[in-house]
Amino acid sequence: MIIATAGHVDHGKTTLVHALTGVDTDRLAEEKRRGMSIDIGFAYVPLSGATEAGAGAGAEAGTLGFVDVPGHEKFIRNMLAGLAGIDMALLVVAADDGPMPQTREHLAILDLLGITRGAVALTKIDRVSQQRIADVTQEIQALLAPTGLCDSIIFPVAAPEGTGLATLKAYLDQAAAALQRPAASGLFRLPIDRAFSVSGAGLVVTGAVVAGQVRPGDRLLLSPAGVEVRVRGVHAQNRAADLASPGDRAALNLAGADLKRLEPGRGDWLVAAPLHAPSTLLDVRLRVHADEPRALGDGARLMLHIGATSLAARLVLLEGGSLAPGRQGLARLVLDRPIPALWGDRFVLRDGGAGRTVAGGAVLDAFGPPRGRAKPARLAELAALGHDNPGQALAALLATSPDGVDLARFARLRNLDSATLASLCAGADARQLEIDDRPHLLAADRATHLAESLLAALAQIHAAEPELAAVPEGRLATLLASTLAAPLSRPLLRAMAGELARAGQISTAGGALRLAGHAPRASAADEALWGRAAPHFTACQPRPPVMGELARALELGVPDLTPGLQRLARLGWLVELGGNRFVLPEALRSLATLTEEIARTAGDDTVDIALFRDRSGIGRNHAVRVLEHFDAAGLTRRTRDGRQLLRPADTVFGPPPPSPEPGPC
């Protein structure tokens, strides 16, 4: 069990830890000279009656670990760095002074971090009367009453003489024995609170394991830098171990080619590679400290302390312009630099100028959208994410997410391993879809309603417009949005269309859909026009014929020809690109294949417009029209530097619809 001390400077925290463990946690020369803790220190002692059995197999279950924190207000940042991953707090109050300013602030920090397991050591009782001990005990109880540590037992002690230490140690032993060790679920995370070199071993980092497990030989990422490291050795509770798990304080001996260039330090994280996703936007549930003199205002500049990290943040309130003392609310923290935070990470906010702790809370979402942060749909999503149980959170998200839940994003945010995620999905009343090649979960009733509505809309359009070969996605999405009474994204429409196509109920090609078996009915006039025009399109492809030249060749005026070509496009025999540009479907399909080839050759799935123009030989203006059509069809997405390939060409442009053989010109 890991215990952190807390309390005002010179109230005897370090002396108490030394008396309990025999270890002096003041390791720095400056601490020795000043007689005051400056940085966090560490000490370990076996539980009473613990044996050596099992040493080296992992963390020593029979060990008490102490994190001794500095009490001076100037070193509050160091104090906060030592609180990540602790199991219990030991508040230290001197009987002669009683509760002091840092007693109150440290207690506020523990409360805002959600720490509810604790004890109080009332030190220096040998210096005061019994009445003073009674008075200070009452004062401490009143101080604890509104906090999560309200049930903490107070132990009067005099550390130098050993008075009361046996009783305190026995209580801590019992608490450790009763503590249920956290499950080693999820992927590995450790906030680094120290980094140093050991002669003959190299770089060592320490911290509390907050998720997952680590073993010698594991490869991790130093985050937020993204540097890969290899774990050469593991210590847990100051003992060599085969692995370290949640509930352990670990020291990891690291190796890596880039460590000389970028050494880790306090505030960095060691994480499994899939969890490396630094963010500068944290959506959080926030509680303002009840003793704050005024409401916390929107836009406040504060210092965020999370894990062992301290950094500046701007507060954006999502449910009003201010948050009163003692109240909770949703907020966004805009950070000065990215950090790899995840759901549930606890934090405190301090007013750097005033030198006090003002608020605290927990992260709900580290991957929120940059826009629409306070829209009702987003607030409902954050409320769903507020569930502690991931299954309940997933169910609530399904009920509030018309476009489904991105499973990879949800798993990363909640740090769920693949087996846990699969179990949650199996227990959900939902249907899995591939949306933009990412697995999503869509509420079962929503999926059923969407599928039925899509089929009904296609049937309705086919009946009203039998000459229309297929319905463009955009038109279908607009019609369905009114039917479903909710916005419908193109990616979700494509995903559902793909499901129905695999089931043989519809056909998709080039960003348009039709019911299986539907064949457009052309008039005799349109068939005649197609017979005369088709050879000209074949001769020009992949370019479109010039409308004026085509009109003269067919002995028609452009105003008369254009509606006819539009009808041929509705039949699926041509594709209209806009601006009086029409091409054969097979020409467009070949250009789609070329687009995919260019993207794959680039190595990053990007398509340079100039290269596409040169390779296709169709000219810049037509190249732009073609790529815009590919954007609409979902093959590509426009970026600042060109296009990004989203899907393989053959998943977007299927086989051409049946068409009659063109007759003689």
Side-chain angles (χ1 to χ4, degrees), residues 196-204 232-233 253-255:
F196 51 89
S197 294
V198 175
S199 179
L203 179 66
V204 174
R232 297 173 60 184
N253 182 201
L254 303 180

Side-chain angles (χ1 to χ4, degrees), residues 2 140 211 245 250 280 341 409 415 507 576:
I2 306 301
I140 294 171
S245 305
T280 58
R409 179 179 178 273
N415 193 7
S507 295
E576 183 177 7

Side-chain angles (χ1 to χ4, degrees), residues 204-532:
V204 174
V205 300
T206 71
V209 179
V210 296
Q213 294 182 326
V214 63
R215 295 175 173 82
D218 285 352
R219 293 190 177 274
L220 303 170
L221 287 184
L222 178 65
S223 194
V227 173
E228 185 181 81
V229 298
R230 179 174 58 85
V231 180
R232 297 173 60 184
V234 176
H235 276 63
Q237 268 72 287
N238 211 31
R239 304 280 301 275
D242 295 332
L243 63 87
S245 305
D248 291 334
R249 272 203 60 83
L252 307 181
N253 182 201
L254 303 180
D258 292 327
L259 287 179
K260 291 183 179 179
R261 176 181 59 85
L262 185 63
E263 292 188 359
R266 176 173 293 173
D268 290 328
W269 288 71
L270 276 177
V271 300
L275 298 183
H276 172 63
S279 170
T280 58
L281 301 177
L282 304 183
D283 290 333
V284 304
R285 178 161 291 283
L286 189 71
R287 175 164 63 94
V288 181
H289 185 38
D291 291 342
E292 262 297 280
R294 62 182 65 86
L296 193 57
D298 187 55
R301 294 287 299 181
L302 301 164
M303 287 300 298
L304 168 69
H305 300 268
I306 182 169
T309 307
S310 300
L311 70 162
R314 179 170 60 87
L315 178 68
V316 180
L317 296 175
L318 303 182
E319 298 177 297
S322 64
L323 196 58
R327 305 288 295 190
Q328 294 191 45
L330 297 174
R332 168 165 286 185
L333 299 176
V334 183
L335 313 183
D336 279 7
R337 65 178 188 274
I339 61 172
L342 294 182
W343 179 92
D345 286 349
R346 305 288 306 198
F347 64 87
V348 297
L349 292 169
R350 299 191 79 245
D351 184 331
R356 68 177 186 274
T357 299
V358 298
V363 174
L364 296 178
D365 194 353
F367 314 120
R371 297 180 180 84
R373 62 198 177 202
K375 289 185 176 180
R378 176 58 180 166
L379 296 181
E381 185 178 13
L382 291 176
L385 287 170
H387 288 280
D388 290 339
N389 182 287
Q392 293 176 350
L394 181 58
L397 282 173
L398 287 169
T400 60
S401 303
D403 285 343
V405 177
D406 185 327
L407 291 178
R409 179 179 178 273
F410 180 73
R412 173 184 280 174
L413 178 63
R414 301 290 297 225
N415 193 7
L416 304 175
D417 56 44
S418 57
T420 302
L421 180 64
S423 176
L424 291 177
C425 292
D429 185 18
R431 182 171 172 181
Q432 187 164 326
L433 299 172
E434 292 291 322
I435 301 179
D436 281 345
D437 296 324
R438 292 172 63 87
H440 283 64
L441 213 59
L442 189 66
D445 55 350
R446 165 79 169 167
T448 300
H449 187 35
L450 174 57
E452 292 174 348
S453 299
L454 193 157
L455 293 172
L458 285 175
Q460 175 186 338
I461 295 173
H462 288 336
E465 305 173 52
E467 78 285 358
L468 184 62
V471 183
E473 281 181 357
R475 178 180 175 185
L476 197 58
T478 301
L479 177 61
L480 287 173
S482 60
T483 303
L484 299 170
L488 177 63
S489 69
R490 291 283 192 93
L492 175 56
L493 173 59
R494 290 172 189 143
M496 182 55 71
E499 291 283 303
L500 295 174
R502 284 186 286 275
Q505 294 180 273
I506 67 171
S507 295
T508 65
L513 298 80
R514 69 175 188 272
L515 289 175
H518 170 71
R521 298 198 297 271
S523 66
D526 287 338
E527 288 187 4
L529 176 61
W530 172 247
R532 297 173 61 205

